[in-house]
């Protein structure tokens, strides 16, 4: 019983999947840093154009944003910020940096701001599902009808007062 209480106080635990994902992202960041410092020569290993890089960035942002939203749904509302947020938000740009570091050296020197723009695209596409999940309606807002009125403690007949309508012209003439 004390283990459950301690787990509830410490918040959600990081799953094995997140540990493996975090280790992969740390390795990508480390290898990208070594390539930036020119300790490990990676230039010219991958001929990837700008459109595929930005497509990878958008897809990675969208996927990680949706995975983060699913993680938030599994978490209790009082637990606060999940520990896995840092894995989903700060990890994938390491993959983008590494992929760009593998481009030919001439391409890297011709467009030095491409990694920054790729990370910006990732962040935008990460924030889209995260921001939309906070705006979406809940189940109670979607169901309309008598069951909601009774649950709220009021009758459907009492919601709208009767409206006195003037008689129609056809009723007045008869």
């Amino acid at each position: 019983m004390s283990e459950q209480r301690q787990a509830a106080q410490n918040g959600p635990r990081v799953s094995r999947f997140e540990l493996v994902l975090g280790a992969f992202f740390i390795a990508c960041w480390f290898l990208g840093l070594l390539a930036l410092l020119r300790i490990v020569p990676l230039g010219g290993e991958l001929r990837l154009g700008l459109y595929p890089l930005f497509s990878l960035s958008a897809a990675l942002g969208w996927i990680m944003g949706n995975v983060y939203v699913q993680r938030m749904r599994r978490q209790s509302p009082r637990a606060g910020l999940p520990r896995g947020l840092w894995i989903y938000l700060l990890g994938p740009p390491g993959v983008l940096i590494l992929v760009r570091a593998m481009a030919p050296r001439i391409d890297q020197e011709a467009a030095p701001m491409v990694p920054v723009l790729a990370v910006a695209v990732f962040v935008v596409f990460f924030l889209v599902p995260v921001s939309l999940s906070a705006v979406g309606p809940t189940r109670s807002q979607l169901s309309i009808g008598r069951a909601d009125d009774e649950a709220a403690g009021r009758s459907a007949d009492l919601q709208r007062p009767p409206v006195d309508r003037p008689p129609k012209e056809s009723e007045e003439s008869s």
Side-chain angles (χ1 to χ4, degrees):
M1 187 72 162
S2 64
E3 292 177 18
Q4 291 175 350
R5 202 176 290 157
Q6 184 179 8
Q9 290 173 353
N10 293 339
R13 294 186 348 195
V14 178
S15 68
R16 286 186 199 169
F17 172 72
E18 290 169 342
L19 286 175
V20 170
L21 202 61
F24 172 71
F25 291 146
I26 288 172
C28 287
W29 273 107
F30 183 69
L31 196 54
L33 180 67
L34 291 178
L36 179 69
L37 297 174
R38 299 182 191 236
I39 296 173
V40 176
L42 292 177
E45 297 296 324
L46 179 65
R47 297 196 55 82
L48 186 68
L50 296 180
Y51 287 121
L53 177 68
F54 289 130
S55 297
L56 173 68
S57 178
L60 203 56
W62 187 259
I63 289 169
M64 287 296 138
N66 282 313
V67 170
Y68 171 72
V69 167
Q70 290 300 320
R71 171 140 172 88
M72 287 296 294
R73 287 185 181 161
R74 286 187 287 138
Q75 179 179 336
S76 68
R78 294 195 302 166
L81 201 64
R83 294 180 184 174
L85 170 67
W86 307 114
I87 295 171
Y88 299 121
L89 183 60
L90 298 179
V95 175
L96 300 172
I97 301 294
L98 178 63
V99 166
R100 184 59 184 169
M102 294 173 73
R105 192 64 60 193
I106 297 170
D107 293 345
Q108 291 181 27
E109 291 171 0
M113 293 299 290
V114 167
V116 175
L117 295 174
V119 170
V121 168
F122 167 80
V123 169
V124 167
F125 277 89
F126 179 86
L127 291 177
V128 167
V130 171
S131 63
L132 289 178
S133 71
V135 174
T138 61
R139 271 184 187 242
S140 64
Q141 291 172 338
L142 289 178
S143 58
I144 299 172
R146 195 168 184 90
D148 288 338
D149 296 331
E150 291 171 1
R154 58 185 181 256
S155 172
D157 299 331
L158 296 177
Q159 278 188 349
R160 293 186 211 147
V163 178
D164 292 331
R165 295 184 186 166
K168 295 182 182 176
E169 291 180 22
S170 63
E171 293 176 2
E172 288 179 5
S173 61
S174 21

